[in-house]
Amino acid sequence: MIPRFTAPLLPELVLSIGGTILMLLAAFTGRRGATLVSWLAVLLLLGATVALIGPPSHAGPVFDGMVSADLFASFGKAIMFPAAAVAIIAAHGWFERGTEHASEYSVLIVFAAAGMSVMVSATSLVALYVGLELNSLAGYVLAAYRRSDERSAEAGLKYFVLGALASGILLYGISLLYGFTGTMTFTGIAAAFARGTPSLGLLFGLVFVLAGLAFKASAVPFHMWTPDVYEGAPTPVTTFFASAPKVAAVLLATRLCVEGLGPATDAWRQIVIFAALASIFLGAIAAYGQTNIKRLLAYSSINNVGFAMIGLAAGGARGASSVLFYMAVYVVMTLGAFLCVLWMRDEEGRPVESIVSLSGLAQTRPRFAAAFAIFMFSLAGIPPLFGFWPKLVVFNAAVASGYVALAVAGILGTVIGAYYYLKIVKVMYMDEPAAPYARVREPVQGLLILVAAILVSPLGYLLIGPLGSLTDKAAGSLF
Amino acid sequence: MTGLPWLSLLILVPLFFGGLCLFVSANGARWLALIGTLINFAISIYLWTAYDPNGAQWQFVEKYPLGGGVNWALGIDGIALVLIALTAFLMPICIGASWRAIEKRVPEYMAYFLLMEALIMGSFEAQDLFLFYIFFEGGLIPMYLIIGVWGGIERIKASYKFFLYTLFGSVLMLIAMIYMAGTAHTTSIPALMAFDFPKQAQTFLFLAFLASFAVKLPMWPVHTWLPDAHVQAPTAGSVILAGVLLKLGGYGFIRFSLPMFPEGSAQFIPLMFVLSGIAVVYTSLVALVQRDMKKLIAYSSVAHMAFVTFGLFAMNRQGIEGALVVMLSHGLVSGALFLCVGVVYDRLHTREIDRYGGLSDNMPGYALLFMVFTMASVGLPGTSGFVGEFLSLIGTYRASSWGAIVATTGIILGAAYMLWLYWRICFGSLRNADAAAMPDLSAREWWLLAPIAAAVFWMGIYPESFIRPIRNDVGRVLTRLDRVAPAGDSHLTLGKGAMHMNMGTMH
């Protein structure tokens, strides 16, 4: 029997206890056990996803309002845990070539997942910070995971220094909010904001907290680390960074804005609108000159966060629902695109990252190219691919709230962004073939690419109904 | 009407055959594509015969909810029917035109063509706002790849220009659609066609849709993507672009802009007339000085499309019916003209007009058919071009005599550049030895061009076959436009004595 008070935290418990056991197992088995540990970690994450099912995880705030295992959190976890599992599978056949120990990789991702899990459940500033740091610390190590590689070490250091700075800003904001309201819980802060015009100190706190979260979500103007870290980190790690933690950060920001800062909507809305538009346009324009596919996808992820934030700016249950919808589809597209990047290997099986090396892929590896093209068109939001629909949902929410100009600006951003996604398709389909890639013998990854491609293909439209009602319910639990 | 979901089949058949194409050899793909498009043509003929012009407005209706307020809702009226028939008719011809001309990556090519057919069919059939957008926009992807992979030297630039121009226009329309769905609380196109939006909103909605359809049609001054796309695209790509994709713009005006925003449209009649007038004169003059055959025909397309906008925004029966006939006729004629260019291009690999000359000597069959299509393009009575342009001019005259005067100038200029083109290519002496050595049309090329020629004469001699299905639907659009249609400055009076042609209700 699970004790009553722990039931809402079941997924987190599964992950942290399981992660600790896995860490010991990894320490004792060393490199021999790497594959075993990684599959166990995948099982653990899937187990944690299963643990979401059932009434306990839909409970309201527990531990004196520290965390809330509501449907909103469950929805986020149901996206993030499988995404983290995919990131573990993405590493298969990657680290074996070097001298690194691969087993810690899986363990670190499990801990990061536990941190993200706390993030989306957090209903108090302390839980927010603890979850965010647990996730970040695992992330710093992961970025520098390939110790022998200078770029990876640089990425890790950069991420750590800038991340620490962002944490500092966030903590400062938290201290201001606490100092001026006397409470750490979101509901308490909301009550303080509801009492007339917020004081300057409260507003400062709000701005600092949002800045710290914007760093995590890599929204402009706190995006600077993203291209460098995405490029330098080993590709499976980048796959992870671009997917699950991003969902956690965006969902955390959504919950904080709705539950904690709801009465101050007018104060944060302008910040979110600015960050959204700046992310969309910077992400679209800065991607132009990129020659490295990982850097390009980094800008793409900045661009995509901007669209999700349009939903947040739209406000209300509808806006929150559109954010969830957007992030769910975004994760599938991004994981698919990065899995394709993982398969870019030269003749000797070494990974390559230049966009030029994709030349003529449609002729040398037609199915690979088709999958990649599907992800690119989908990220660009071109119908009939499913990537179009979340953008529509977000703009729908914005127009419904009367932010037509915001929607128009955002949608013009998609046209600018379409250029560089088209560029990749052009390189693959219209250029003369370059040296063919070596085949990667990872059937599970191949299957995952296939599943992702099917999900974002026009067949994905069949999911509109169920996914839409799910996001509506999940967003409804915030209000 | 039998229970088969015919309209879904029109979409699924090409998709199915397109998918199959990817798994077979080049020759297998050619045959599969031909069979797939012929099946679709057969279905469209069945639809034409089963369609009841005096029946309900929407026929063959299908509706399955997809969730989230979106429906797989299909249905056609007469306007969609004739355009579907045009598409289904041109598609096998496009496949035939690519039979020898496309040598590399044939299965892929055929797959994209069939995908495009499916998406175009979907755009004409969709009865749900967002479903329409998905099909409408989706057509960009296969066309982008067709131009970019199988095009000429400047193909990359042309494909980008095509994609980004069209996308830019369309996204503004998307915002308008979101607003409409939110205001009218429905995404059903038939329901929206009867919904009265606030007048102020109509202005913006009209402009947003104009951004999309003006680029697609294309209208001056956003036509500049078209010559590039045409020149670089392979022959069959040009045929489908000129023959069908441009028609989506005209279809959009008549399906969305006019019935959904009557006040908004009426407000912009002067603008539309001015733009159309400039397009007719300016692009005709530009066409006169072209050295590249394809470019010349591309510019002539812009000029012809201006007759469509003239006719549509005249907002009377002659104008709108004329615009639709111009669309059909231009679909056939410009497609055929691009095929004619393709015929000589396949032999000499140049589109420069000066490299040819005197082809009537060594290619009499070619010269004959080319003559037919040139005359149809000029608008000679007895060909399809005459019927459409004449009706459209009558309509324009009733709305604005100045508009009609400018439009008529376009017809004269059109005769000038087309006849001059024909003269430079087919008459005179055989200056160039390589051009003189070209053989006449092969059997395959006869099979491509002769059916179009037959259709051109049919439409020119007995246009009633094509006007009958659209008559009631044009009437329905006109009832929406009744309250805003321009009075016009011409004072038509019924003549005394035998009056064979009743010009409808006189003002």
Side-chain angles (χ1 to χ4, degrees), chain A residues 363 383 389 396 422-423 429, chain B residues 70 105 112 137-138 144 160 178:
Chain A
Q363 290 171 67
W389 198 255
N396 228 333
L422 280 185
K423 189 170 99 178
Y429 278 79
Chain B
V70 189
R105 296 161 76 180
Y112 296 145
E137 228 15 41
Y144 168 73
Y160 273 121
I178 292 174

Side-chain angles (χ1 to χ4, degrees), chain A residues 383-394:
Chain A
L385 295 161
F386 193 44
F388 161 69
W389 198 255
K391 287 204 166 73
L392 180 73
V393 170
V394 165

Side-chain angles (χ1 to χ4, degrees), chain B residues 255-285:
Chain B
R255 173 70 71 241
F256 296 92
S257 304
L258 292 181
M260 293 186 194
F261 330 120
E263 277 88 7
S265 307
Q267 198 181 345
F268 287 102
I269 290 176
L271 174 76
M272 299 302 284
F273 272 18
V274 168
L275 290 183
S276 310
I278 295 177
V280 163
V281 177
Y282 169 79
T283 51
S284 298
L285 289 174

Side-chain angles (χ1 to χ4, degrees), chain A residues 27-413:
Chain A
F28 280 106
T29 54
R31 291 191 65 188
R32 282 169 295 126
T35 319
L36 175 71
V37 170
S38 82
W39 282 116
L40 285 177
V42 170
L43 275 182
L44 199 60
L45 284 163
L46 295 181
T49 318
V50 173
L52 291 169
I53 302 169
S57 59
H58 299 179
V62 286
F63 295 108
D64 294 330
M66 290 275 275
V67 290
S68 165
D70 53 7
L71 207 54
F72 181 82
S74 300
F75 184 85
K77 289 170 197 173
I79 308 171
M80 294 183 309
F81 294 161
V86 171
I88 292 176
I89 294 171
H92 286 177
W94 184 272
F95 290 115
E96 280 87 339
R97 300 181 56 82
T99 52
E100 300 93 344
H101 290 287
S103 34
E104 281 88 351
Y105 172 83
S106 321
V107 179
L108 283 167
I109 292 219
V110 170
F111 282 131
M116 296 184 302
S117 183
V118 176
M119 278 166 83
V120 293
S121 290
T123 50
S124 88
L125 295 172
V126 175
L128 176 157
Y129 187 74
V130 169
L132 196 131
E133 279 305 288
L134 179 53
N135 172 35
S136 297
L137 285 172
Y140 303 145
V141 183
L142 281 170
Y145 198 72
R146 193 157 239 181
R147 277 166 301 178
S148 50
D149 181 4
E150 280 176 18
R151 288 195 314 161
S152 177
E154 185 198 323
L157 189 64
K158 206 167 221 163
Y159 192 26
F160 176 67
V161 172
L162 290 174
L165 183 69
S167 295
I169 295 174
L170 179 68
L171 267 184
Y172 187 51
I174 289 177
S175 71
L176 280 172
L177 284 183
Y178 178 61
F180 279 84
T181 60
T183 173
M184 283 284 191
T185 59
F186 288 0
T187 42
I189 294 168
F193 269 104
R195 280 195 292 272
T197 324
S199 65
L200 196 62
L202 270 181
L203 285 181
F204 259 90
L206 179 151
V207 171
F208 278 107
V209 168
L210 285 183
L213 293 182
F215 176 88
K216 275 284 132 195
S218 65
V220 176
F222 302 98
H223 64 284
M224 267 78 143
W225 60 277
T226 318
D228 292 340
V229 172
Y230 276 29
E231 185 188 356
T235 311
V237 176
T238 316
T239 311
F240 177 63
F241 283 170
S243 56
K246 209 134 191 165
V247 179
V250 171
L251 263 56
L252 172 59
T254 308
R255 187 194 283 277
L256 178 66
C257 285
V258 172
E259 283 193 345
L261 308 173
T265 302
D266 293 332
W268 57 257
R269 184 173 267 155
Q270 44 186 322
I271 302 177
V272 172
I273 288 179
F274 168 76
L277 289 182
S279 303
I280 289 173
F281 281 94
L282 189 126
I285 293 166
Y288 269 23
Q290 304 306 329
T291 53
N292 181 298
I293 184 86
K294 282 162 74 181
R295 261 190 113 75
L296 187 126
L297 286 174
Y299 283 108
S300 151
S301 84
I302 295 173
N303 176 270
N304 275 290
V305 161
F307 288 112
M309 288 172 86
I310 284 190
L312 178 55
R318 192 163 184 190
S321 164
S322 74
V323 173
L324 292 177
F325 200 111
Y326 196 93
M327 292 318 283
V329 182
Y330 163 78
V331 161
V332 177
M333 296 188 291
T334 302
L335 285 176
F338 271 106
L339 283 171
C340 286
V341 173
L342 277 170
W343 277 27
M344 293 166 57
R345 311 278 177 94
D346 66 8
E347 281 146 345
E348 281 148 47
R350 281 182 308 240
V352 281
E353 295 169 5
S354 70
I355 293 175
V356 182
S357 76
L358 284 164
S359 299
L361 192 67
Q363 290 171 67
T364 49
R365 300 278 298 279
R367 273 169 298 177
F368 183 11
F372 213 157
I374 284 179
F375 295 128
M376 288 300 119
F377 278 126
S378 193
L379 278 166
I382 310 285
L385 295 161
F386 193 44
F388 161 69
W389 198 255
K391 287 204 166 73
L392 180 73
V393 170
V394 165
F395 293 134
N396 228 333
V399 172
S401 312
Y403 289 88
V404 180
L406 177 63
V408 170
I411 214 159
L412 292 181

Side-chain angles (χ1 to χ4, degrees), chain A residues 362-363 377 382-385 388-389 391-392 395-397 399-400 404 407-408 411-412 414-415 418-419 422-426 428-432 461-466, chain B residues 66-70 104-105 108 112 115 119 130 133-135 137-141 144-145 147-149 155-156 159-160 163-164 167-168 171-172 174-175 178-179 181-182:
Chain A
Q363 290 171 67
F377 278 126
I382 310 285
L385 295 161
F388 161 69
W389 198 255
K391 287 204 166 73
L392 180 73
F395 293 134
N396 228 333
V399 172
V404 180
V408 170
I411 214 159
L412 292 181
T414 64
V415 180
Y419 175 79
L422 280 185
K423 189 170 99 178
I424 298 192
V425 175
K426 175 229 146 196
M428 289 193 297
Y429 278 79
M430 303 177 194
D431 287 358
E432 287 307 310
Y461 286 91
L462 299 174
L463 293 177
I464 292 176
Chain B
L66 285 178
V70 189
K104 63 168 187 177
R105 296 161 76 180
E108 252 183 280
Y112 296 145
L115 171 64
L119 293 169
F130 293 121
Y133 185 83
I134 288 166
F135 283 125
E137 228 15 41
L140 292 184
I141 295 178
Y144 168 73
L145 291 168
I147 297 178
V149 177
R155 59 202 162 87
I156 307 285
S159 61
Y160 273 121
F163 197 104
L164 295 175
L167 182 66
F168 179 76
V171 292
L172 291 175
L174 180 63
I175 291 287
I178 292 174
Y179 172 85

Side-chain angles (χ1 to χ4, degrees), chain B residues 306-317:
Chain B
F307 281 102
V308 174
T309 41
F310 261 131
L312 288 178
F313 285 85
M315 296 192 180
N316 48 41
R317 179 171 286 279

